[in-house]
Amino acid sequence: MEEEAQLPNFEFDNSSGNDDEYNSNQKEKRETCLKGCGRPANVCLCNQLPTKPLLTSTQILILQHPHELRHRLATVPILTKCLQNSHTLTGRRLRHGSSPLLDSLFAASLQDPHPSNRAIFLFPGSESSPSIELNQWKLLNSTELSIKDLVLIVFDGTWKHAKEMVSASLPFLSKFACRVCLNYDVGVDGGTIFDSELVLRKEPFSGCLSTMEAVARSLRVLEPRGVEIEQSLISVLRAMVRFQAFYLKPVKPRPKLLRKGKDEETMKKKSSEVLG
């Protein structure tokens, strides 16, 4: 893929007093694309979407937190228009009755104490519920893995919401799905992947991805045409970021962080003077 200049980090103006007026004005002024992407006409992505939704052997199921439905930069609506075998559920947890597909996997696990690895869910592990890196998982299951039957489950929400969703879903998911993760580093403050060129929201540590990025990287590992699929998805995401960058405000440094930085700089100067 062609290298692009890095984009700045952005945040929304969430001043509550003007939200209703802003939303009302936006509805009056903006025309919405009805034939393809469903986005406002001035940031339409129809020309960037694949001519036909990409066909994958892997089935992708996304649990989207209700709060994400009103997020202006949510990537899931675009992701599902790019992938043919993707489905979205809105809620805070997965349980029996959430999805016929997952219910069938759960039922199979009750009959077979050692079910085949047909389902994985993507989220970094914890001490009580460890995860395995996706490349390792694929190597360990390469002999028995039938890629056409694989189900990839992802969680769409803020980091806090996603952790809550995974925790609430574990009693159900742990019966039939393996917990996997992508490479990440909890010791480094995060932005995003691809040399931070797609930064939109501050993440808790390096390697945290948007849902679209996470699915793209996962399919790169899981699909025979994974590299091609990843490139197609990321090119759409890049276009989305470029369009949206014109309508977002750059992040302003927080006063407390500025004061902290100045205090640390002052302490360093004093220390150097003492040592000198």
Side-chain angles (χ1 to χ4, degrees), residues 15-63:
S15 51
S16 58
N18 295 326
D19 279 352
D20 292 340
E21 180 182 351
Y22 173 83
N23 291 333
S24 176
N25 290 338
Q26 289 300 92
K27 287 179 182 178
E28 292 176 4
K29 294 178 182 178
R30 287 189 178 184
E31 295 182 4
T32 301
C33 174
L34 299 176
K35 53 180 183 175
C37 65
R39 289 164 55 80
N42 58 340
V43 288
C44 174
L45 285 172
C46 289
N47 290 336
Q48 308 296 327
L49 299 178
T51 306
K52 293 181 179 180
L54 303 171
L55 180 61
T56 59
S57 300
T58 306
Q59 297 187 66
I60 300 101
L61 191 146
I62 304 163
L63 180 64

Side-chain angles (χ1 to χ4, degrees), residues 38-270:
R39 289 164 55 80
N42 58 340
V43 288
C44 174
L45 285 172
C46 289
N47 290 336
Q48 308 296 327
L49 299 178
T51 306
K52 293 181 179 180
L54 303 171
L55 180 61
T56 59
S57 300
T58 306
Q59 297 187 66
I60 300 101
L61 191 146
I62 304 163
L63 180 64
Q64 185 177 46
H65 193 280
H67 287 184
E68 291 298 307
L69 295 175
R70 57 178 182 265
H71 198 290
R72 301 178 210 172
L73 278 179
T75 60
V76 167
I78 296 300
L79 176 62
T80 53
K81 292 181 184 299
C82 293
L83 296 176
Q84 185 170 324
N85 283 338
S86 61
H87 311 277
T88 304
L89 301 174
T90 302
R92 289 178 168 83
R93 65 168 171 156
L94 292 171
R95 55 186 172 179
H96 194 271
S98 298
S99 159
L101 174 61
L102 298 187
D103 287 352
S104 67
L105 293 173
F106 177 75
S109 72
L110 297 178
Q111 297 176 3
D112 184 355
H114 302 289
S116 60
N117 291 313
R118 279 199 55 203
I120 55 177
F121 66 100
L122 186 65
F123 203 77
S126 62
E127 289 186 8
S128 59
S129 178
S131 62
I132 181 172
E133 202 277 324
L134 187 58
N135 280 289
Q136 279 188 295
W137 178 87
K138 184 181 179 183
L139 286 174
L140 291 173
N141 293 279
S142 58
T143 56
E144 59 182 86
L145 181 63
S146 176
I147 197 71
K148 66 179 181 179
D149 293 330
L150 184 64
V151 179
L152 170 65
I153 304 163
V154 296
F155 297 85
D156 181 58
T158 63
W159 182 249
K160 177 184 176 182
H161 286 156
K163 287 176 69 176
E164 293 170 352
M165 293 157 73
V166 171
S167 179
S169 301
L170 268 179
F172 178 59
L173 280 184
S174 60
K175 303 295 184 183
F176 59 87
C178 179
R179 186 169 185 160
V180 300
C181 65
L182 297 168
N183 288 326
Y184 65 97
D185 185 353
V186 295
V188 180
D189 286 340
T192 182
I193 59 172
F194 306 114
D195 295 327
S196 298
E197 65 176 314
L198 300 173
V199 174
L200 288 175
R201 288 190 282 180
K202 182 69 174 177
E203 301 293 354
F205 51 80
S206 180
C208 289
L209 319 176
S210 71
T211 303
M212 193 163 181
E213 288 174 288
V215 171
R217 183 178 282 195
S218 298
L219 293 178
R220 178 190 180 101
V221 175
L222 298 171
E223 289 289 310
R225 294 172 45 247
V227 173
E228 179 184 340
I229 291 170
E230 180 194 41
Q231 289 177 344
S232 180
L233 294 177
I234 294 303
S235 68
V236 175
L237 186 55
R238 282 198 179 109
M240 180 180 175
V241 171
R242 283 198 300 268
F243 285 142
Q244 206 68 39
F246 291 107
Y247 301 97
L248 297 178
K249 295 183 177 181
V251 170
K252 296 178 181 178
R254 298 178 183 176
K256 287 185 179 179
L257 294 180
L258 285 176
R259 286 198 299 272
K260 181 180 178 182
K262 289 180 180 179
D263 291 342
E264 289 177 351
E265 187 176 347
T266 302
M267 291 297 293
K268 286 180 181 179
K269 286 183 179 180
K270 287 182 179 181

